[in-house]
Amino acid sequence: METKKVLRQRRSMKVYDPNRAVTEEQLAELFELTTLAPSAWNFQHYKFIVVRDPEQKQRLRQAAMGQEKVEQAACTIVVCGDLAAWKRAEDVAREFARKGFYGESTEEKIAKQAEMMRNAYKNNPTKAREEAIRSASLAAMSLMVAAEDMGLATCPMIGFDPNAVAEVTELDDTLFPAMLITLGYAGDFDLPRCDRLPLSEVVNIDRLGVPFGANQT
């Protein structure tokens, strides 16, 4: 499907067909596409928990303010930000070297690059969290676009208790739930597109106060 069509067609689905499952093969393709999303230094500051066991879905639903679609969908994906992605710095630096990003690579160059990447986050928890949110969000949007192209429905969710979600999915201290995404097949529900703001209200040229489309002289 054309990307433009996918973006115009996608909806945040509220009702799912509880009798249709998503296969392992579909999940493998979906996450392969999802992980093509960009992230700073290719650290991929995210992890995904696919909740599909009925009892786990029931527990997750309670952590998500009792929202029915968590249980109704084939699965609900907990999109997690990874606060410790910087620990992959040396592996990433070596991968960059193998790809020729540094030109003629030496151990000294690799070590310096790894140190620079690591230090950007290691002692800066605020930046590490902000980067994790950015990467997780980029990956989440890629997941929803890919799912739409595969004939699957999704809905991003922020209505949940993060501590309860972390407890249900047994997250450690390096991970936090950035959002939930229900995934499955759309149920019998007509979901019209809500109007978006005009471009003149959300797009400015060069500086704030110069709206897109304004007549210039």
Side-chain angles (χ1 to χ4, degrees):
M1 192 185 297
E2 290 185 6
T3 304
K4 290 185 288 186
K5 183 178 179 182
V6 170
L7 290 170
R8 288 180 172 129
Q9 178 176 293
R10 189 207 61 80
R11 299 289 187 276
S12 293
M13 185 53 57
K14 310 300 183 184
V15 177
Y16 293 83
D17 182 345
N19 299 312
R20 297 188 69 183
V22 176
T23 67
E24 292 287 327
E25 291 76 14
Q26 286 173 305
L27 286 174
E29 181 180 14
L30 179 63
F31 283 110
E32 187 272 326
L33 294 168
T34 297
T35 56
L36 295 176
S39 62
W41 284 312
N42 197 34
F43 274 179
Q44 298 182 233
H45 312 66
Y46 48 69
K47 278 192 180 358
F48 306 97
I49 311 292
V50 181
V51 178
R52 59 185 182 183
D53 175 78
E55 290 185 7
Q56 274 290 81
K57 288 202 292 184
Q58 187 177 57
R59 294 179 65 205
L60 186 62
R61 176 180 176 176
Q62 295 311 307
M65 302 179 180
Q67 296 181 72
E68 184 180 6
K69 58 182 173 287
V70 171
E71 278 194 275
Q72 191 182 63
C75 57
T76 295
I77 299 163
V78 182
V79 182
C80 303
D82 184 357
L83 300 171
W86 56 266
K87 292 183 178 181
R88 294 193 284 273
E90 184 173 347
D91 290 340
V92 170
R94 290 194 177 280
E95 174 69 6
F96 284 175
R98 285 194 296 271
K99 299 294 185 181
F101 289 2
Y102 307 146
E104 184 179 350
S105 117
T106 64
E107 284 298 315
E108 183 179 6
K109 279 186 179 180
I110 293 171
K112 284 183 177 180
Q113 180 70 14
E115 182 180 16
M116 183 268 291
M117 293 188 293
R118 188 164 42 241
N119 289 344
Y121 304 106
K122 183 178 180 180
N123 298 313
N124 192 337
T126 298
K127 184 174 182 179
R129 185 177 181 86
E130 290 175 348
E131 200 69 79
I133 291 172
R134 278 191 287 267
S135 288
S137 298
L138 286 166
M141 191 68 231
S142 293
L143 185 153
M144 289 186 286
V145 171
E148 184 71 30
D149 190 57
M150 294 169 63
L152 299 169
T154 59
C155 182
M157 301 170 59
I158 60 169
F160 59 87
D161 178 338
N163 292 327
V165 170
E167 182 178 353
V168 169
T169 53
E170 301 182 16
L171 302 183
D172 61 30
D173 291 341
T174 68
L175 299 172
F176 64 92
M179 74 180 75
L180 308 182
I181 300 177
T182 48
L183 174 73
Y185 287 91
D188 185 12
F189 186 69
D190 184 17
L191 194 65
R193 166 78 73 188
C194 292
D195 293 340
R196 296 311 199 245
L197 293 170
L199 297 184
S200 60
E201 290 192 29
V202 296
V203 182
N204 286 254
I205 304 298
D206 292 326
R207 62 188 62 83
L208 186 64
V210 185
F212 180 80
N215 292 330
Q216 303 293 316
T217 59

